[in-house]
Amino acid sequence: MTVITLTKVPQSLRGDLTKWCQEVQTGVYVGSFSARIRDLLWKRILLNIGRGEATLIYTTNNELGYDFKTTRKDKQVVQFDGIPLMMHLKNQSSTNKRKLGFSTAAHYHRANTLHKKSNEKDVLSSIVALDIETTGLDITKDQIISIGAVKYISKSKCERFYRLIKTDYEIPTHISKITQLTSEKLNQSGVELFDALEDLNKFLADRLIVGYNLNFDINFLNRDYQKYNNSHILNNLKDILPIIKNKNKFIDNYKLNTVLKNYGIKNAEPHNALSDACATLDLIIKLVEQGSF
């Protein structure tokens, strides 16, 4: 049994939790699932909690029969002889003398600015942007021909992943035209799909996977992960297409290149998996800065 309490969190997070738990009272969620799912849910909560607070209580094998975690600023979970205890933290702000020369408003503004920058860096450092190219849209017969992914390291540094995939499938002419990939190029410069998937799994690690119309990419990847090693992607996922649709209701269309132009983002090689992933990361950075992510 697992109990999760939430206060002042984004509505999207509340909706996300109802996939796994029952909301028995406002902000109180109850569910029964494995420890792995519980840990993944807690990671998702920490990533999407915003400025809210969360507490997780779950059954475990200790003297009390349960343990807990919390993000509350006024409390801290401590272990005493193997028993979890909730320690109340003293409010230090009332005992500290305020420095002269700055108004209360200025202090709040500075604190909020630093908090926002810190949150932005934390969010960006926990994600990976992903894109793939395929021979078509039919998951029952089409194949992955390239995979691109990029991690944010700092404002001036990213870590990139790019694999071309060998194939015995004749690439359709219209696909070669938009991707600049041919069967010859793939077989000369590509790797086996199994090896590409293994490398991708290592690159993704436990980061949140973000993409544009992400379900398309994940469905193809999960199909092939299932085929080669009977598994699937376990990372948390976030599609930014719904965010764009909600935020930009009067845009001409929601193709990636149209959206990128709307945000002033240049994509050097449209329909190149790595270039699209990099452009998607730039879009994510814009959304994070605007507080829309």
Side-chain angles (χ1 to χ4, degrees):
M1 177 72 72
T2 299
V3 178
I4 301 170
T5 64
L6 304 177
T7 56
K8 299 179 180 179
V9 301
Q11 190 62 37
S12 58
L13 178 56
R14 294 179 181 274
D16 199 22
L17 278 186
T18 57
K19 300 174 185 176
W20 301 92
C21 307
Q22 182 177 359
E23 188 174 15
V24 296
Q25 185 176 325
T26 303
V28 180
Y29 299 81
V30 178
S32 181
F33 32 76
S34 68
R36 184 179 66 86
I37 296 298
R38 182 192 70 223
D39 292 340
L40 288 173
L41 278 178
W42 185 244
K43 287 182 180 179
R44 185 172 299 186
I45 290 170
L46 294 180
L47 190 62
N48 297 284
I49 195 172
R51 297 185 181 181
E53 294 180 334
T55 299
L56 171 73
I57 307 101
Y58 56 94
T59 55
T60 189
N61 186 24
N62 62 17
E63 290 189 33
L64 294 180
Y66 63 87
D67 203 344
F68 41 82
K69 303 176 181 179
T70 188
T71 67
R72 291 184 58 173
K73 305 296 188 298
D74 61 335
K75 299 183 185 299
Q76 181 180 344
V77 179
V78 296
Q79 297 287 332
F80 182 76
D81 288 341
I83 299 176
L85 300 174
M86 189 74 83
M87 182 174 68
H88 295 266
L89 302 176
K90 292 183 179 180
N91 186 354
Q92 299 294 329
S93 60
S94 61
T95 59
N96 292 335
K97 293 183 178 179
R98 185 172 56 184
K99 293 182 179 180
L100 300 178
F102 296 93
S103 67
T104 301
H107 280 293
Y108 279 123
H109 176 73
R110 183 172 182 272
N112 288 337
T113 300
L114 292 173
H115 179 73
K116 181 181 178 182
K117 289 182 177 179
S118 176
N119 282 349
E120 288 178 1
K121 184 178 179 181
D122 289 344
V123 169
L124 292 172
S125 297
S126 65
I127 67 174
V128 54
L130 174 71
D131 187 77
I132 68 170
E133 296 298 331
T134 65
T135 57
L137 305 178
D138 191 341
I139 197 169
T140 64
K141 64 178 183 180
D142 287 310
Q143 297 182 16
I144 297 174
I145 54 177
S146 66
I147 305 172
V150 58
K151 294 178 183 177
Y152 176 93
I153 305 299
S154 67
K155 281 188 175 182
S156 58
K157 184 179 180 182
C158 291
E159 185 178 350
R160 293 172 171 83
F161 175 95
Y162 187 50
R163 297 289 187 277
L164 299 179
I165 311 301
K166 288 184 177 180
T167 180
D168 53 6
Y169 187 93
E170 187 64 30
I171 307 301
T173 302
H174 70 285
I175 296 296
S176 290
K177 186 175 180 180
I178 64 174
T179 64
Q180 305 301 308
L181 296 176
T182 63
S183 300
E184 292 76 17
K185 183 174 182 178
L186 293 175
N187 288 320
Q188 287 175 4
S189 306
V191 300
E192 297 295 336
L193 179 57
F194 175 82
D195 295 325
L197 294 175
E198 288 290 302
D199 292 343
L200 177 64
N201 194 46
K202 294 174 184 177
F203 184 82
L204 295 174
D206 61 352
R207 289 199 175 204
L208 170 71
I209 300 174
V210 185
Y212 193 84
N213 193 22
L214 184 61
N215 281 343
F216 175 84
D217 307 84
I218 296 301
N219 287 340
F220 268 91
L221 288 168
N222 276 339
R223 179 201 66 182
D224 291 334
Y225 272 115
Q226 184 69 31
K227 175 182 176 181
Y228 284 103
N229 57 15
N230 197 32
S231 67
H232 62 280
I233 292 175
L234 297 177
N235 301 59
N236 293 331
L237 310 170
K238 187 164 185 175
D239 188 353
I240 58 175
L241 176 56
I243 299 175
I244 297 298
K245 285 185 174 181
N246 184 60
K247 188 174 176 61
N248 302 270
K249 299 185 183 298
F250 302 105
I251 196 170
D252 291 341
N253 60 66
Y254 293 101
K255 294 179 180 178
L256 177 59
N257 287 333
T258 303
V259 172
L260 293 175
K261 289 179 181 178
N262 189 63
Y263 278 82
I265 298 171
K266 293 183 179 180
N267 186 1
E269 297 181 68
H271 300 293
N272 171 283
L274 179 58
S275 184
D276 283 351
C278 290
T280 299
L281 179 60
D282 289 338
L283 179 57
I284 294 166
I285 292 172
K286 292 255 187 180
L287 294 175
V288 170
E289 290 173 347
Q290 294 172 2
S292 304
F293 184 77

